[in-house]
Amino acid sequence: YISEIGDNNEPTFMNIFSQKNYEDIKNFLSFIPSKNFNPVIQDLIFKLLKSKKLIDKNFISIEEDQKIFELYINQLFETGRINEIELFYSQYPNLKENEFILKKMIEGNLLRNRHNEACKILDNKSDKVPELFGKILIICDIINNRFDEAKLGLQLLKEQNNPGDLFFIELAFSLMSEENELDSKGLKKTLDNLKELNPIIISSLQFADISPNFEQIEKFSISGLLSILSNPSVERELKIYCSEILVKIGRIDAETLSNAYQLSRFKPSEVERANKIYKTLAPNRARPLLFQAISRDKKPETRFNKIISLIKVSQSDNLIKEISKLIDITDDLKIHVKSNEEAIILSKLFQSRGLYFDALDILSKNYKKPESDYRKIAIELSEAMQKSDTSFYRVEND
């Protein structure tokens, strides 16, 4: 069964579907929390989806096996694991004609701005089902300047009279206009009426140099969020918003977040006054401002104040661990601590970098009960878990 393919190095889930019928398996796979942005949950989902799982053939038919496999692929796609889909495809010859996995590979390439690669997959397929590949065929025809074929496909799509296709039809016709001028204003108005965007529309937006809005991005799957980072037409603030989500779940590194923060445009006077005006900004705007200000500040004391502000404005969004990787840890950081609040904030910075001695040291010099007591326990617990210390003696004692 194709639903049994997977990584043998993840034996934990091998027998999870023992004596389970199709409905049991479908219900389980359909409700996997693929949009949960907790990194632990995402890691667990990934291990589950890529692992080999034995299917009980007394309970599952051949047709049901195909549907189970499609559920795996769809969840891998939703979580942005396009490479794993391509790996399955390359390792199993009988998937060469599997239309569902072909569609997901094409969509994955479109979301990664690999338009030519996406179209080549279709070019190599002899029978292209219009119901499944219709919009993809149209986009590929436009990319390859086959306008007559694209217009025919659009006329057929228009006759189906599906309300959700209106934006795609308008966009495609605009891209082929002889004047080569897009009615961006009209397209944007139509786009704003769409509550959710599929991968074809997401990838098509950059041709029109149009950005989706916050409301639409909030509903994106992880694969959609990843596509935003490589799309040149997306607004800077949206890229920062997506970057902060993706860095928290470990899908991008701190360097990518740093690059995203550099995208924000501020006046030199705003950067100079960052520590005074950041509270007037939304957190995802305040963080890039403070980050840029810290990068340019050569005075240890004012740089320290901005670091404290950046950590403070990162706490509510659980970004301290990721933000701490953007800050250079210098020997003079401890010197400028003047209050217990600053000591607690700085201890969080040290703790997130695994510098437990420094975290406890800065706390001991500005100790205040009970705030510092809680912080001390948190540091010790973090250190014990990091070092797999099963005794937890200090934590229990405190």
Side-chain angles (χ1 to χ4, degrees), residues 174-189:
S174 296
L175 290 169
M176 294 185 291
S177 65
E178 292 180 7
E179 296 82 11
N180 204 25
E181 290 181 4
L182 294 172
D183 178 16
S184 295
K185 203 170 184 180
L187 286 169
K188 190 80 171 81
K189 188 176 180 181

Side-chain angles (χ1 to χ4, degrees), residues 326-342:
L326 307 182
I327 298 170
D328 290 331
I329 303 292
T330 55
D331 295 334
D332 62 353
L333 271 182
K334 297 180 186 179
I335 299 172
H336 303 288
V337 176
K338 306 180 201 66
S339 66
N340 173 257
E341 182 191 20
E342 290 179 349

Side-chain angles (χ1 to χ4, degrees), residues 164 166-168 170-171 183-198 201-206 208-217 220 233-235 238:
L166 179 62
F167 174 79
F168 177 80
E170 288 184 7
L171 170 62
D183 178 16
S184 295
K185 203 170 184 180
L187 286 169
K188 190 80 171 81
K189 188 176 180 181
T190 310
L191 176 66
D192 288 340
N193 293 327
L194 297 179
K195 298 301 180 187
E196 293 191 32
L197 308 182
N198 60 46
I201 290 181
I202 293 171
S203 62
S204 301
L205 287 176
Q206 73 179 78
D209 198 26
I210 294 176
S211 174
N213 57 41
F214 264 109
E215 183 184 358
Q216 291 161 341
I217 280 186
F220 275 13
S233 63
V234 172
E235 296 171 2
L238 293 179

Side-chain angles (χ1 to χ4, degrees), residues 198-374:
N198 60 46
I200 306 300
I201 290 181
I202 293 171
S203 62
S204 301
L205 287 176
Q206 73 179 78
F207 294 118
D209 198 26
I210 294 176
S211 174
N213 57 41
F214 264 109
E215 183 184 358
Q216 291 161 341
I217 280 186
E218 284 177 345
K219 298 176 182 177
F220 275 13
S221 64
I222 293 173
S223 61
L225 295 177
L226 286 164
S227 74
I228 291 296
L229 302 188
S230 59
N231 192 328
S233 63
V234 172
E235 296 171 2
R236 296 185 186 103
E237 268 61 43
L238 293 179
K239 289 196 173 189
I240 291 169
Y241 171 79
C242 294
S243 295
E244 290 187 338
I245 293 175
L246 293 167
V247 78
K248 280 196 288 188
I249 59 176
R251 299 306 300 276
I252 62 172
D253 56 23
E255 184 179 353
T256 306
L257 179 63
S258 169
N259 293 336
Y261 280 170
Q262 296 285 9
L263 292 174
S264 281
R265 296 287 179 262
F266 299 102
K267 298 174 184 175
S269 59
E270 290 177 316
V271 176
E272 289 174 12
R273 296 169 51 244
N275 218 33
K276 293 181 179 178
I277 66 173
Y278 81 92
K279 290 181 181 179
T280 65
L281 304 175
N284 67 331
R285 181 111 174 115
R287 285 187 283 267
L289 174 62
L290 287 165
F291 171 72
Q292 291 184 26
I294 291 167
S295 302
R296 300 174 195 179
D297 197 337
K298 304 302 179 186
K299 297 177 181 177
E301 187 168 0
T302 52
R303 178 177 175 273
F304 170 82
N305 292 333
K306 293 182 181 104
I307 289 173
I308 294 296
S309 298
L310 179 57
I311 299 301
K312 282 172 73 173
V313 81
S314 303
Q315 288 182 120
S316 59
D317 292 319
N318 294 324
L319 274 165
I320 292 179
K321 182 179 179 182
E322 290 72 27
I323 293 294
S324 74
K325 295 174 184 175
L326 307 182
I327 298 170
D328 290 331
I329 303 292
T330 55
D331 295 334
D332 62 353
L333 271 182
K334 297 180 186 179
I335 299 172
H336 303 288
V337 176
K338 306 180 201 66
S339 66
N340 173 257
E341 182 191 20
E342 290 179 349
I344 285 177
I345 290 171
L346 197 59
S347 74
K348 292 179 181 179
L349 173 63
F350 286 134
Q351 178 190 329
S352 66
R353 294 283 288 268
L355 302 171
Y356 301 110
F357 173 82
D358 294 292
L360 291 170
D361 181 53
I362 193 64
L363 205 60
S364 66
K365 295 174 182 175
N366 297 270
Y367 214 89
K368 178 184 175 185
K369 291 178 175 291
E371 292 89 344
S372 297
D373 294 326
Y374 298 139

Side-chain angles (χ1 to χ4, degrees), residues 81-240:
R81 304 291 185 174
I82 312 299
N83 289 342
E84 277 62 39
I85 297 176
E86 292 176 346
L87 186 63
F88 284 163
Y89 177 78
S90 66
Q91 289 182 342
Y92 295 89
N94 61 335
L95 295 180
K96 299 294 181 184
E97 292 301 315
N98 186 294
E99 292 178 340
F100 187 85
I101 197 170
L102 285 179
K103 184 170 185 283
K104 289 303 174 187
M105 284 178 60
I106 292 167
E107 290 177 347
N109 277 312
L110 289 175
L111 289 178
R112 291 180 288 179
N113 290 334
R114 292 160 54 175
H115 302 107
N116 290 330
E117 288 87 342
C119 295
K120 281 178 185 175
I121 294 173
L122 267 188
D123 289 341
N124 294 330
K125 183 171 172 55
S126 55
D127 55 327
K128 307 171 183 70
V129 184
E131 291 81 7
L132 191 64
F133 298 109
K135 291 179 184 175
I136 298 171
L137 283 166
I138 291 167
I139 283 295
C140 287
D141 283 337
I142 293 172
I143 289 171
N144 293 302
N145 295 318
R146 298 190 293 257
F147 293 161
D148 289 340
E149 291 90 334
K151 287 175 181 176
L152 177 60
L154 285 167
Q155 290 295 345
L156 294 172
L157 191 63
K158 203 171 184 180
E159 288 174 11
Q160 294 176 15
N161 201 27
N162 294 323
D165 294 339
L166 179 62
F167 174 79
F168 177 80
I169 293 169
E170 288 184 7
L171 170 62
F173 273 119
S174 296
L175 290 169
M176 294 185 291
S177 65
E178 292 180 7
E179 296 82 11
N180 204 25
E181 290 181 4
L182 294 172
D183 178 16
S184 295
K185 203 170 184 180
L187 286 169
K188 190 80 171 81
K189 188 176 180 181
T190 310
L191 176 66
D192 288 340
N193 293 327
L194 297 179
K195 298 301 180 187
E196 293 191 32
L197 308 182
N198 60 46
I200 306 300
I201 290 181
I202 293 171
S203 62
S204 301
L205 287 176
Q206 73 179 78
F207 294 118
D209 198 26
I210 294 176
S211 174
N213 57 41
F214 264 109
E215 183 184 358
Q216 291 161 341
I217 280 186
E218 284 177 345
K219 298 176 182 177
F220 275 13
S221 64
I222 293 173
S223 61
L225 295 177
L226 286 164
S227 74
I228 291 296
L229 302 188
S230 59
N231 192 328
S233 63
V234 172
E235 296 171 2
R236 296 185 186 103
E237 268 61 43
L238 293 179
K239 289 196 173 189
I240 291 169

